[in-house]
Each structure stands twice: as structure tokens, then as C-alpha cells.
Amino acid sequence: PVAPGADARSFEKVLEREFVAIPEAICFLDDCVSLVVSVREDNYFHYVDTSGSGTADDLKVNQNQLGDDHVSFTVLDLVLSPNGKYLLASTDKSRLILYLVGTSLQLRNFYGAVNDDLCQTRACFHPSGLFVYVTSQDNKVYGWRVRDQKVVARLLGHASVVRDLDISKDG
């Protein structure tokens, strides 16, 4: 949404943050104010309040379900589920992780796509939330059924890596 009196074609810097390394993935939550940031070589999601009020500290949530500080993967893409309750994290270790928003709780892990630390993986949800899709370095797009993590689709035929992925609201 555009603020009253603001030009929809312009941008205004409301805050800035410095991180210990390169931010690799960002995703706004449904409130359009909370920005989730994943940083390379950092095992935390940083929940940033972008309202500009300056009153709230950022929330840090460990990506490791056991709470340790070991960095074993980097999140390269973050996608919010259609219902706003879950974050899908596509990693550099050929793994997608479904998190409950605001927690370290890993609800599902999806394996099968091929992605390393140099890839530009992209993921998306089906509008129903029942399926997730991801690009892969083997020039395919993979689809999983969320409830049982089963690969249900492989889109073949691309001559090179698929660089972006989206799905229409009506599926």
C-alpha cells in the first residue's frame, strides 16, 4: 500500500540495518511491516520491524531447531505461505525447510532438487498451500506435496537453470 500523499513510483528510505555478512534472502510477512532476513554464514532469521518507529528491537530466531549456533546451510530464498503462517526456506544444501513463522520449528524438509552455495534457487507455494515448488541446478523444477514431502512433479526440458518461479493466484 502507498502512504496517503505519496507517489506510488517513488521510494523512501525508512531505516537501514547492517548485518555481519551478505543478506541472501528477504520476505515480508502478511502485515507488510515485518521483514524476515536471512544472512550468509549466520544461523538466524532476523525479523525486522520496517515501520520506522524505531521502538522495536529486531527479533532473532535460530534456524536450527535444536538451538545450536552451528551454520550448516545458508537460506537463499524465503517464501511466505498463502495463509501467512509458514516460511519456506530454500537452502544451498539441496534442501527446502518449512518453518512456522517466528519460530525455529521445522515442520517439513523437502529433498530432491540439486542446489549448492553458488545457485540462485527460487521457490513458491501453490495458492492452495498444498504444494511447494523449487528451481534446481539440474535445469528442472521440482514439486512436492507438503503433507508427506513426496516429489509429485518434475518439470523437464529447460536448456539451462530456471532463474525465477511464480504461480498465478488461481493455480
Side-chain angles (χ1 to χ4, degrees):
V2 178
D7 183 350
R9 297 167 294 169
S10 66
F11 295 92
E12 177 185 345
K13 181 169 122 179
V14 293
L15 69 103
E16 65 182 45
R17 290 286 189 275
E18 287 191 22
F19 296 99
V20 296
I22 300 167
E24 285 288 350
I26 61 173
C27 178
F28 274 99
L29 299 184
D30 275 349
D31 63 7
C32 299
V33 173
S34 301
L35 179 67
V36 184
V37 181
S38 181
V39 178
R40 187 172 285 276
E41 301 303 321
D42 183 11
N43 60 299
Y44 287 89
F45 287 125
H46 301 266
Y47 286 74
V48 179
D49 176 1
T50 65
S51 67
S53 64
T55 58
D57 289 333
D58 295 348
L59 172 66
K60 285 175 57 175
V61 175
N62 198 325
Q63 295 172 2
N64 298 325
Q65 188 164 324
L66 298 177
D68 61 290
D69 280 328
H70 179 70
V71 179
S72 59
F73 59 87
T74 296
V75 174
L76 300 173
D77 193 29
L78 276 173
V79 182
L80 187 65
S81 66
N83 65 10
K85 295 180 180 180
Y86 310 105
L87 277 175
L88 182 63
S90 185
T91 75
D92 62 344
K93 302 297 183 202
S94 300
R95 174 182 174 203
L96 282 86
I97 307 168
L98 186 66
Y99 289 93
L100 184 62
V101 168
T103 75
S104 297
L105 184 59
Q106 297 180 8
L107 301 171
R108 301 277 190 278
N109 285 272
F110 304 94
Y111 297 95
V114 179
N115 291 310
D116 66 21
D117 60 338
L118 299 176
C119 75
Q120 297 176 350
T121 180
R122 296 295 177 256
C124 72
F125 278 90
H126 185 274
S128 68
L130 300 176
F131 302 94
V132 295
Y133 305 93
V134 70
T135 61
S136 178
Q137 284 179 293
D138 62 2
N139 305 340
K140 298 174 187 170
V141 175
Y142 288 80
W144 290 265
R145 189 171 40 226
V146 172
R147 74 169 183 236
D148 59 7
Q149 296 117 295
K150 181 178 179 181
V151 174
V152 293
R154 285 181 195 85
L155 180 59
L156 314 172
H158 291 89
S160 61
V161 175
V162 178
R163 299 219 180 258
D164 202 4
L165 187 62
D166 200 0
I167 191 166
S168 66
K169 298 274 187 233
D170 60 3

